[in-house]
Amino acid sequence: MLVFLVMTAMISVVHVSVTRIGERKTSLRQEALRYFLLVAGGITILALIVEFLSMTFQ
Protein backbone atom coordinates (compact mmCIF):
# COMPACT_ATOMS: atom_id res chain seq x y z
CA MET A 1 0.00 0.00 0.00
CA LEU A 2 2.84 2.36 0.84
CA VAL A 3 4.49 1.70 -2.52
CA PHE A 4 1.19 2.44 -4.26
CA LEU A 5 0.85 5.75 -2.42
CA VAL A 6 4.45 6.80 -3.13
CA MET A 7 4.13 5.94 -6.83
CA THR A 8 0.81 7.79 -7.06
CA ALA A 9 2.37 10.84 -5.39
CA MET A 10 5.29 10.83 -7.82
CA ILE A 11 2.95 10.48 -10.80
CA SER A 12 0.80 13.32 -9.44
CA VAL A 13 3.74 15.71 -9.15
CA VAL A 14 5.03 14.84 -12.61
CA HIS A 15 1.59 15.10 -14.20
CA VAL A 16 0.78 18.46 -12.64
CA SER A 17 4.20 19.95 -13.42
CA VAL A 18 4.09 18.80 -17.06
CA THR A 19 0.48 19.77 -17.79
CA ARG A 20 0.62 23.09 -15.94
CA ILE A 21 -0.19 25.83 -18.45
CA GLY A 22 0.66 29.45 -17.74
CA GLU A 23 0.17 31.03 -14.38
CA ARG A 24 -2.44 29.43 -12.21
CA LYS A 25 -3.76 30.80 -8.97
CA THR A 26 -3.10 27.59 -7.02
CA SER A 27 0.38 26.40 -6.16
CA LEU A 28 2.00 23.35 -7.69
CA ARG A 29 1.83 21.61 -4.31
CA GLN A 30 -1.92 22.18 -3.98
CA GLU A 31 -2.62 20.98 -7.51
CA ALA A 32 -0.46 17.87 -7.03
CA LEU A 33 -2.18 17.10 -3.72
CA ARG A 34 -5.62 17.48 -5.30
CA TYR A 35 -4.67 15.23 -8.22
CA PHE A 36 -3.10 12.69 -5.83
CA LEU A 37 -6.27 12.52 -3.71
CA LEU A 38 -8.42 12.20 -6.82
CA VAL A 39 -6.37 9.33 -8.28
CA ALA A 40 -5.70 7.49 -5.02
CA GLY A 41 -9.31 7.87 -3.90
CA GLY A 42 -10.67 6.68 -7.23
CA ILE A 43 -8.45 3.61 -7.29
CA THR A 44 -9.30 2.82 -3.66
CA ILE A 45 -13.03 3.09 -4.33
CA LEU A 46 -12.66 0.87 -7.39
CA ALA A 47 -10.74 -1.70 -5.33
CA LEU A 48 -13.46 -1.70 -2.67
CA ILE A 49 -16.14 -2.27 -5.32
CA VAL A 50 -14.19 -5.19 -6.78
CA GLU A 51 -13.66 -6.64 -3.28
CA PHE A 52 -17.37 -6.32 -2.51
CA LEU A 53 -18.33 -8.02 -5.77
CA SER A 54 -15.81 -10.76 -5.11
CA MET A 55 -17.26 -11.40 -1.65
CA THR A 56 -20.80 -11.33 -3.01
CA PHE A 57 -20.21 -14.01 -5.64
CA GLN A 58 -18.17 -16.35 -3.44
Side-chain angles (χ1 to χ4, degrees):
M1 183 71 160
L2 182 63
V3 173
F4 162 72
L5 292 175
V6 169
M7 288 178 60
T8 305
M10 289 178 4
I11 291 170
S12 298
V13 170
V14 170
H15 172 75
V16 169
S17 62
V18 168
T19 60
R20 195 173 167 113
I21 300 172
E23 284 298 316
R24 297 214 178 152
K25 296 185 188 237
T26 58
S27 70
L28 179 68
R29 183 178 180 189
Q30 287 176 334
E31 283 187 53
L33 179 63
R34 185 182 61 102
Y35 185 77
F36 168 75
L37 292 175
L38 181 72
V39 171
I43 291 174
T44 303
I45 289 171
L46 184 63
L48 290 173
I49 291 170
V50 168
E51 182 69 26
F52 174 75
L53 289 174
S54 172
M55 289 171 49
T56 300
F57 291 111
Q58 256 184 351

Coordinates of all heavy atoms in Angstrom, one line a residue:
M1 N 0.8 -1.2 0.0 CA 0.0 0.0 0.0 C 0.9 1.3 0.0 O 0.6 2.2 -0.7 CB -0.9 0.0 1.2 CG -1.9 1.1 1.3 SD -3.1 0.9 0.0 CE -4.3 2.0 0.6
L2 N 1.9 1.2 0.8 CA 2.8 2.4 0.8 C 3.5 2.6 -0.5 O 3.6 3.8 -0.9 CB 3.9 2.1 1.9 CG 4.9 3.3 2.1 CD1 4.2 4.5 2.6 CD2 5.9 2.9 3.1
V3 N 3.9 1.6 -1.2 CA 4.5 1.7 -2.5 C 3.5 2.3 -3.5 O 3.8 3.2 -4.3 CB 5.0 0.3 -3.0 CG1 5.5 0.4 -4.5 CG2 6.1 -0.2 -2.1
F4 N 2.2 1.9 -3.4 CA 1.2 2.4 -4.3 C 1.0 3.9 -4.0 O 1.0 4.7 -4.9 CB -0.1 1.7 -4.0 CG -1.3 2.5 -4.5 CD1 -1.6 2.6 -5.8 CD2 -2.2 3.1 -3.6 CE1 -2.7 3.3 -6.3 CE2 -3.3 3.8 -4.0 CZ -3.6 3.9 -5.3
L5 N 1.0 4.3 -2.7 CA 0.9 5.8 -2.4 C 2.0 6.6 -2.9 O 1.9 7.7 -3.4 CB 0.6 5.9 -0.9 CG -0.7 5.4 -0.4 CD1 -0.8 5.4 1.1 CD2 -1.9 6.1 -1.0
V6 N 3.2 6.1 -2.7 CA 4.4 6.8 -3.1 C 4.5 7.0 -4.7 O 4.7 8.0 -5.2 CB 5.7 6.1 -2.6 CG1 7.0 6.7 -3.3 CG2 5.8 6.2 -1.1
M7 N 4.1 5.9 -5.4 CA 4.1 5.9 -6.8 C 3.0 6.9 -7.3 O 3.3 7.7 -8.2 CB 3.9 4.6 -7.4 CG 5.1 3.7 -7.3 SD 4.9 2.0 -7.9 CE 4.5 2.3 -9.6
T8 N 1.9 6.9 -6.7 CA 0.8 7.8 -7.1 C 1.2 9.2 -6.8 O 0.9 10.1 -7.6 CB -0.5 7.4 -6.3 OG1 -0.8 6.1 -6.5 CG2 -1.6 8.3 -6.8
A9 N 1.9 9.5 -5.7 CA 2.4 10.8 -5.4 C 3.4 11.3 -6.4 O 3.3 12.5 -6.9 CB 3.0 10.9 -4.0
M10 N 4.3 10.4 -6.8 CA 5.3 10.8 -7.8 C 4.6 11.1 -9.2 O 4.9 12.1 -9.8 CB 6.3 9.7 -8.0 CG 7.2 9.6 -6.8 SD 8.5 8.3 -6.8 CE 8.4 7.5 -8.3
I11 N 3.7 10.3 -9.5 CA 3.0 10.5 -10.8 C 2.2 11.8 -10.7 O 2.1 12.5 -11.7 CB 2.0 9.3 -11.1 CG1 2.9 8.1 -11.5 CG2 1.1 9.6 -12.2 CD1 2.1 6.8 -11.5
S12 N 1.6 12.1 -9.6 CA 0.8 13.3 -9.4 C 1.7 14.5 -9.6 O 1.3 15.5 -10.4 CB 0.2 13.4 -8.1 OG -0.7 12.3 -7.9
V13 N 2.8 14.5 -9.0 CA 3.7 15.7 -9.1 C 4.2 15.9 -10.6 O 4.2 17.0 -11.1 CB 4.9 15.6 -8.2 CG1 6.0 16.6 -8.5 CG2 4.5 15.7 -6.8
V14 N 4.6 14.8 -11.2 CA 5.0 14.8 -12.6 C 3.9 15.3 -13.5 O 4.1 16.2 -14.4 CB 5.6 13.5 -13.1 CG1 5.8 13.5 -14.6 CG2 6.9 13.2 -12.3
H15 N 2.7 14.7 -13.4 CA 1.6 15.1 -14.2 C 1.2 16.6 -14.1 O 1.1 17.3 -15.1 CB 0.4 14.2 -13.8 CG -0.9 14.7 -14.5 ND1 -1.1 14.4 -15.8 CD2 -2.0 15.4 -14.1 CE1 -2.3 14.9 -16.2 NE2 -2.8 15.5 -15.1
V16 N 1.2 17.1 -12.9 CA 0.8 18.5 -12.6 C 1.9 19.4 -13.2 O 1.6 20.4 -13.8 CB 0.5 18.7 -11.1 CG1 0.3 20.2 -10.9 CG2 -0.8 18.0 -10.7
S17 N 3.1 19.1 -13.0 CA 4.2 20.0 -13.4 C 4.3 20.0 -14.9 O 4.7 21.0 -15.5 CB 5.5 19.6 -12.8 OG 5.9 18.3 -13.2
V18 N 4.0 18.9 -15.6 CA 4.1 18.8 -17.1 C 2.9 19.4 -17.7 O 3.0 20.1 -18.7 CB 4.2 17.3 -17.5 CG1 4.0 17.2 -19.0 CG2 5.6 16.8 -17.1
T19 N 1.7 19.2 -17.2 CA 0.5 19.8 -17.8 C 0.1 21.2 -17.3 O -0.9 21.7 -17.8 CB -0.7 18.8 -17.5 OG1 -0.9 18.7 -16.1 CG2 -0.5 17.5 -18.1
R20 N 0.9 21.7 -16.5 CA 0.6 23.1 -15.9 C 0.8 24.1 -17.1 O 1.9 24.2 -17.7 CB 1.5 23.4 -14.8 CG 1.1 24.5 -14.0 CD 2.0 24.6 -12.7 NE 1.9 25.9 -12.1 CZ 1.4 26.0 -10.9 NH1 1.0 24.9 -10.2 NH2 1.2 27.2 -10.4
I21 N -0.2 24.9 -17.4 CA -0.2 25.8 -18.5 C -0.3 27.2 -17.9 O -1.2 27.6 -17.2 CB -1.3 25.6 -19.4 CG1 -1.2 24.2 -20.0 CG2 -1.4 26.6 -20.5 CD1 -2.4 23.8 -20.8
G22 N 0.7 28.1 -18.2 CA 0.7 29.5 -17.7 C 0.7 29.6 -16.2 O 1.0 28.7 -15.5
E23 N 0.2 30.7 -15.8 CA 0.2 31.0 -14.4 C -1.2 30.6 -13.8 O -2.2 31.1 -14.3 CB 0.4 32.5 -14.1 CG 1.9 32.9 -14.2 CD 2.7 32.2 -13.2 OE1 2.3 32.1 -12.0 OE2 3.8 31.7 -13.6
R24 N -1.2 29.8 -12.9 CA -2.4 29.4 -12.2 C -2.5 30.0 -10.8 O -1.4 30.3 -10.3 CB -2.6 27.9 -12.1 CG -2.6 27.3 -13.5 CD -3.5 26.1 -13.5 NE -3.6 25.5 -14.8 CZ -3.8 24.3 -15.1 NH1 -3.9 23.4 -14.1 NH2 -3.9 23.8 -16.3
K25 N -3.6 30.2 -10.3 CA -3.8 30.8 -9.0 C -3.4 29.9 -7.8 O -2.9 30.3 -6.8 CB -5.2 31.3 -8.8 CG -5.6 32.4 -9.7 CD -6.9 32.9 -9.5 CE -7.3 33.8 -10.6 NZ -7.6 35.1 -10.2
T26 N -3.5 28.5 -8.1 CA -3.1 27.6 -7.0 C -1.6 27.2 -7.2 O -1.1 27.2 -8.3 CB -4.0 26.3 -7.1 OG1 -3.9 25.7 -8.4 CG2 -5.5 26.7 -6.8
S27 N -1.0 26.8 -6.1 CA 0.4 26.4 -6.2 C 0.5 25.0 -6.7 O -0.4 24.2 -6.8 CB 1.0 26.5 -4.8 OG 0.5 25.4 -4.0
L28 N 1.7 24.7 -7.1 CA 2.0 23.4 -7.7 C 1.7 22.3 -6.6 O 1.2 21.2 -6.9 CB 3.5 23.3 -8.1 CG 3.9 22.0 -8.7 CD1 3.3 21.7 -10.0 CD2 5.4 21.9 -8.8
R29 N 2.1 22.6 -5.4 CA 1.8 21.6 -4.3 C 0.3 21.3 -4.1 O -0.1 20.2 -4.0 CB 2.4 22.1 -3.0 CG 2.3 21.2 -1.9 CD 3.0 21.8 -0.6 NE 2.8 20.8 0.4 CZ 3.2 21.1 1.7 NH1 3.7 22.3 2.0 NH2 3.0 20.2 2.6
Q30 N -0.5 22.4 -4.1 CA -1.9 22.2 -4.0 C -2.5 21.4 -5.1 O -3.4 20.5 -4.9 CB -2.6 23.5 -3.8 CG -2.4 24.2 -2.5 CD -3.0 25.6 -2.5 OE1 -3.2 26.2 -3.5 NE2 -3.3 26.0 -1.3
E31 N -2.1 21.7 -6.3 CA -2.6 21.0 -7.5 C -2.2 19.5 -7.5 O -3.0 18.6 -7.8 CB -2.1 21.6 -8.8 CG -2.8 22.9 -9.2 CD -2.4 23.4 -10.5 OE1 -2.5 22.6 -11.5 OE2 -2.0 24.5 -10.6
A32 N -0.9 19.3 -7.1 CA -0.5 17.9 -7.0 C -1.2 17.1 -5.9 O -1.6 15.9 -6.1 CB 1.0 17.9 -6.8
L33 N -1.4 17.7 -4.8 CA -2.2 17.1 -3.7 C -3.6 16.8 -4.1 O -4.1 15.7 -3.9 CB -2.2 18.0 -2.5 CG -3.0 17.4 -1.3 CD1 -2.3 16.1 -0.8 CD2 -3.0 18.4 -0.2
R34 N -4.3 17.7 -4.8 CA -5.6 17.5 -5.3 C -5.7 16.3 -6.3 O -6.5 15.4 -6.2 CB -6.2 18.7 -5.9 CG -7.6 18.6 -6.4 CD -8.1 19.9 -7.0 NE -7.3 20.2 -8.2 CZ -7.7 19.9 -9.5 NH1 -8.9 19.5 -9.7 NH2 -7.0 20.1 -10.5
Y35 N -4.7 16.3 -7.2 CA -4.7 15.2 -8.2 C -4.4 13.9 -7.5 O -5.0 12.9 -7.9 CB -3.6 15.6 -9.3 CG -3.6 14.6 -10.4 CD1 -4.5 14.6 -11.4 CD2 -2.6 13.6 -10.5 CE1 -4.5 13.7 -12.4 CE2 -2.5 12.7 -11.5 CZ -3.5 12.7 -12.5 OH -3.4 11.8 -13.5
F36 N -3.4 13.9 -6.6 CA -3.1 12.7 -5.8 C -4.3 12.1 -5.1 O -4.6 10.9 -5.2 CB -2.0 13.0 -4.8 CG -1.8 11.9 -3.8 CD1 -1.1 10.7 -4.2 CD2 -2.2 12.0 -2.5 CE1 -0.9 9.7 -3.3 CE2 -2.0 11.0 -1.6 CZ -1.4 9.8 -2.0
L37 N -5.1 13.0 -4.4 CA -6.3 12.5 -3.7 C -7.3 12.0 -4.7 O -8.0 11.0 -4.4 CB -6.8 13.7 -2.9 CG -6.0 14.1 -1.7 CD1 -6.6 15.3 -1.0 CD2 -5.8 12.9 -0.7
L38 N -7.5 12.6 -5.8 CA -8.4 12.2 -6.8 C -8.1 10.8 -7.3 O -8.9 9.9 -7.4 CB -8.5 13.2 -8.0 CG -9.4 12.9 -9.1 CD1 -10.9 13.1 -8.6 CD2 -9.2 13.8 -10.3
V39 N -6.8 10.6 -7.7 CA -6.4 9.3 -8.3 C -6.4 8.2 -7.2 O -6.9 7.1 -7.4 CB -5.0 9.5 -8.9 CG1 -4.4 8.1 -9.3 CG2 -5.0 10.4 -10.1
A40 N -5.8 8.5 -6.1 CA -5.7 7.5 -5.0 C -7.1 7.1 -4.5 O -7.4 6.0 -4.3 CB -4.8 8.0 -3.9
G41 N -7.9 8.1 -4.4 CA -9.3 7.9 -3.9 C -10.1 7.1 -4.9 O -10.8 6.1 -4.6
G42 N -10.0 7.4 -6.2 CA -10.7 6.7 -7.2 C -10.3 5.2 -7.3 O -11.1 4.3 -7.4
I43 N -8.9 5.0 -7.2 CA -8.5 3.6 -7.3 C -8.9 2.8 -6.0 O -9.2 1.7 -6.1 CB -6.9 3.6 -7.5 CG1 -6.6 4.1 -8.9 CG2 -6.4 2.2 -7.3 CD1 -5.1 4.3 -9.1
T44 N -8.9 3.5 -4.9 CA -9.3 2.8 -3.7 C -10.8 2.5 -3.7 O -11.2 1.4 -3.3 CB -9.0 3.7 -2.4 OG1 -7.6 4.0 -2.4 CG2 -9.4 3.0 -1.2
I45 N -11.6 3.4 -4.2 CA -13.0 3.1 -4.3 C -13.3 1.9 -5.3 O -14.1 1.0 -5.1 CB -13.8 4.4 -4.8 CG1 -13.8 5.3 -3.6 CG2 -15.2 4.0 -5.2 CD1 -14.4 6.7 -3.9
L46 N -12.5 2.0 -6.4 CA -12.7 0.9 -7.4 C -12.2 -0.5 -6.8 O -12.9 -1.5 -7.0 CB -11.8 1.2 -8.6 CG -11.9 0.2 -9.8 CD1 -13.3 0.1 -10.3 CD2 -10.9 0.5 -10.8
A47 N -11.2 -0.5 -6.0 CA -10.7 -1.7 -5.3 C -11.8 -2.2 -4.3 O -12.0 -3.4 -4.2 CB -9.4 -1.5 -4.6
L48 N -12.4 -1.3 -3.6 CA -13.5 -1.7 -2.7 C -14.7 -2.3 -3.4 O -15.3 -3.3 -2.9 CB -13.9 -0.5 -1.8 CG -12.9 0.0 -0.8 CD1 -13.3 1.3 -0.1 CD2 -12.6 -1.1 0.2
I49 N -15.0 -1.7 -4.5 CA -16.1 -2.3 -5.3 C -15.8 -3.7 -5.8 O -16.6 -4.6 -5.7 CB -16.5 -1.3 -6.5 CG1 -17.1 0.0 -6.0 CG2 -17.4 -2.0 -7.5 CD1 -17.2 1.0 -7.0
V50 N -14.6 -3.9 -6.3 CA -14.2 -5.2 -6.8 C -14.2 -6.2 -5.6 O -14.6 -7.3 -5.8 CB -12.8 -5.1 -7.5 CG1 -12.2 -6.5 -7.7 CG2 -12.9 -4.3 -8.8
E51 N -13.7 -5.8 -4.5 CA -13.7 -6.6 -3.3 C -15.1 -7.0 -2.9 O -15.4 -8.2 -2.5 CB -12.9 -5.9 -2.1 CG -12.8 -6.8 -0.9 CD -11.9 -7.9 -1.0 OE1 -11.0 -7.9 -1.9 OE2 -12.1 -8.9 -0.3
F52 N -16.0 -6.1 -2.9 CA -17.4 -6.3 -2.5 C -18.0 -7.3 -3.5 O -18.7 -8.2 -3.1 CB -18.2 -5.0 -2.5 CG -19.6 -5.2 -2.2 CD1 -20.1 -5.5 -1.0 CD2 -20.5 -5.1 -3.3 CE1 -21.5 -5.8 -0.8 CE2 -21.9 -5.3 -3.1 CZ -22.3 -5.6 -1.8
L53 N -17.8 -7.1 -4.8 CA -18.3 -8.0 -5.8 C -17.7 -9.4 -5.6 O -18.4 -10.4 -5.8 CB -18.1 -7.5 -7.2 CG -18.9 -6.3 -7.6 CD1 -18.5 -5.7 -8.9 CD2 -20.4 -6.6 -7.6
S54 N -16.5 -9.5 -5.3 CA -15.8 -10.8 -5.1 C -16.4 -11.5 -3.9 O -16.7 -12.7 -4.0 CB -14.3 -10.6 -4.9 OG -13.7 -11.8 -4.5
M55 N -16.7 -10.8 -2.8 CA -17.3 -11.4 -1.7 C -18.7 -11.8 -1.9 O -19.2 -12.8 -1.4 CB -17.2 -10.4 -0.5 CG -15.8 -10.3 0.1 SD -15.6 -8.9 1.3 CE -16.9 -9.3 2.4
T56 N -19.4 -11.0 -2.7 CA -20.8 -11.3 -3.0 C -21.0 -12.6 -3.8 O -21.9 -13.4 -3.5 CB -21.4 -10.2 -3.8 OG1 -21.3 -9.0 -3.0 CG2 -22.9 -10.4 -4.1
F57 N -20.1 -12.8 -4.8 CA -20.2 -14.0 -5.6 C -19.4 -15.2 -5.2 O -19.3 -16.2 -5.9 CB -19.8 -13.7 -7.1 CG -20.7 -12.7 -7.7 CD1 -20.4 -11.4 -8.0 CD2 -22.0 -13.1 -8.1 CE1 -21.2 -10.5 -8.6 CE2 -22.9 -12.2 -8.7 CZ -22.5 -11.0 -8.9
Q58 N -18.9 -15.2 -4.0 CA -18.2 -16.4 -3.4 C -19.1 -17.4 -2.9 O -20.1 -17.3 -2.4 CB -17.2 -15.9 -2.4 CG -15.8 -15.9 -2.9 CD -14.8 -15.6 -1.7 OE1 -15.2 -15.2 -0.6 NE2 -13.6 -15.7 -2.1

